[in-house]
Amino acid sequence: MNFQKICILGLGYIGLPTASTFATHGLKVVGVDINRHIIETLQHGNIHIHEAGLRTAVESALSSGNLTVSLQPEEADAFLIAVPTPFFEDRQGEYQGRQYRLADMRAVISATEAIVPHLRKGNLVVLESTSPPRTTVDLVKPILERSGLKAGIDFYLCYSPERVLPGQILRELIENARVVGGITPESAEAGCALYATFVKGEILATDATTAEMVKLMENTTRDVNIAIANEFARLAEKFGVDVWEAISLANRHPRINILQPGPGVGGHCISVDPWFLVETAPELTTLIYHARQVNDSQPHFVLEKVKQALGSLKGKKITALGLAYKPNVDDLRESPAGEVVKLLQKEGAQVKAWEPFKPEADVHEVHMAASLESAIQDAEALLLLVKHTEFIKLNPHEIAAKTTARVGVDCVNGWDPQQWESAGFKIFRLGVHQ
Ligand SMILES: NC(=O)c1ccc[n+]([C@@H]2O[C@H](COP(=O)([O-])OP(=O)(O)OC[C@H]3O[C@@H](n4cnc5c(N)ncnc54)[C@H](O)[C@@H]3O)[C@@H](O)[C@H]2O)c1
């Protein structure tokens, strides 16, 4: 198949790097977003998201004339859908007393509907948004067929999951293996041909529902594995064991690779995607459901640790170090650190948070400090919630001179307790009995 022009719906963390990569590889790309601010920002040559190398890539795609942006899709050889698929905040499902989250597919529905008037014979449509199993065949296909064209006969339809790591998106888009699932083998072949424009990793053809499952299985596996690490941390505290030492010893076994415990699981992928499996088959997902419960309840376990360190939290001044959902990123979405802060405040603690990757963040009900110094100066305890490199590198002797705190609670195994204790701190560690 010969693709000359493509239309990409959704210009966020996935859609914009994808659009600029296709454009810098010679295709004409129309990037579409319903957010007028995003379109205007791009039309002025700026970008609205932080991603290494993206500004340069978008600038060169725009200046070559290969990338244009618009509020509306238009006729093209292929359409890619990369719109958000969060869960509903205000609705839940229930199965045998278990509450579960429901995928909010409204953006996928409206993006698909927007393609219908422009769909022509021989076109290819690819859904990239992470979606519950069978979304491509049960949700997207019937909408596209309102055009009067038959999927798999008149046009090709695929699902292709995105597996890039924020911070390395542009490199991984090209180098990672890509799974392309078609509703027919011909659709998969067309999808593979499109991604061959720039993908240097293997391009692996399958059917659409398998491709959807692949993405959900990847993120669910990580969620379940983190849940067991968190449960090991709880068990270690009960049995007087240091979980970090125990994990590192267990991982010397050639076939064991236990992940690290922490304050919980956040972000917009791993803490969301397992729900897409629970929602579509609650009777088959006992383990996945309970792993979500363990990870979602981990901030409560941190709360107990802080109480162990400080006793009653009423009026206690605590500095929360880190609010991002993982180390060295500025993304605060679904962050368990934010949840910990809220739980501490409910117990009457006065919490100041310092997030070096997003100091200006406006987080609902959280007092954000303007600097590390102002965050720690009159604190009673320092609570390490995210393993940002700059937190790990803190010199405890220098910190001791800048803060009244003499208690540290380390939830991520970021600080050497002996060093901090030699600087006068009493250190409490998640997953370690004290
Ligand atoms: N960000 C990641 O690292 C990552 C990794 C793998 C998979 N994904 C998945 O990719 C999808 C997109 O994620 P993202 O991080 O790029 O989201 P995002 O929120 O950064 O961007 C999505 C964009 O889509 C736009 N949009 C919403 N409805 C639209 C519509 N009807 N038409 C056109 N544009 C519309 C929004 O305005 C927004 O700019 C999600 O399903 C996500 O789970 C993301």
Side-chain angles (χ1 to χ4, degrees), residues 27-69:
L27 266 65
K28 292 276 177 213
V29 181
V30 182
V32 177
D33 205 290
I34 51 166
N35 184 325
R36 187 173 292 275
H37 168 73
I38 291 176
I39 295 302
E40 284 171 2
T41 304
L42 290 165
Q43 279 167 339
H44 287 100
N46 294 317
I47 58 171
H48 59 291
I49 46 181
H50 296 285
E51 176 60 34
L54 185 60
R55 178 174 291 278
T56 315
V58 171
E59 272 168 7
S60 89
L62 289 168
S63 65
S64 72
N66 276 356
L67 175 63
T68 53
V69 292

Side-chain angles (χ1 to χ4, degrees), residues 389-404:
T389 307
E390 68 176 80
F391 291 158
I392 308 310
K393 287 189 175 162
L394 288 175
N395 179 327
H397 293 277
E398 285 172 20
I399 294 297
K402 293 178 182 168
T403 178
T404 46

Side-chain angles (χ1 to χ4, degrees), residues 289-343:
Y289 170 84
H290 284 291
R292 282 276 71 245
Q293 295 298 305
V294 169
N295 289 334
D296 274 355
S297 64
Q298 193 71 352
H300 291 269
F301 182 59
V302 173
L303 175 69
E304 291 311 312
K305 193 81 206 172
V306 180
K307 282 186 186 167
Q308 199 187 355
L310 294 179
S312 162
L313 299 184
K314 221 169 182 54
K316 293 276 162 62
K317 292 182 176 168
I318 300 173
T319 302
L321 293 172
L323 275 194
Y325 83 89
K326 69 173 184 178
N328 302 326
V329 299
D330 69 349
D331 193 340
L332 275 47
R333 289 181 284 180
E334 313 289 334
S335 165
E339 196 55 37
V340 169
V341 170
K342 285 171 193 165
L343 290 174

Side-chain angles (χ1 to χ4, degrees), residues 156-172:
Y156 303 110
L157 177 59
C158 289
Y159 179 83
S160 182
E162 198 45 80
R163 315 149 108 181
V164 288
L165 184 70
Q168 303 190 21
I169 293 180
L170 287 169
R171 184 175 63 74
E172 291 207 351

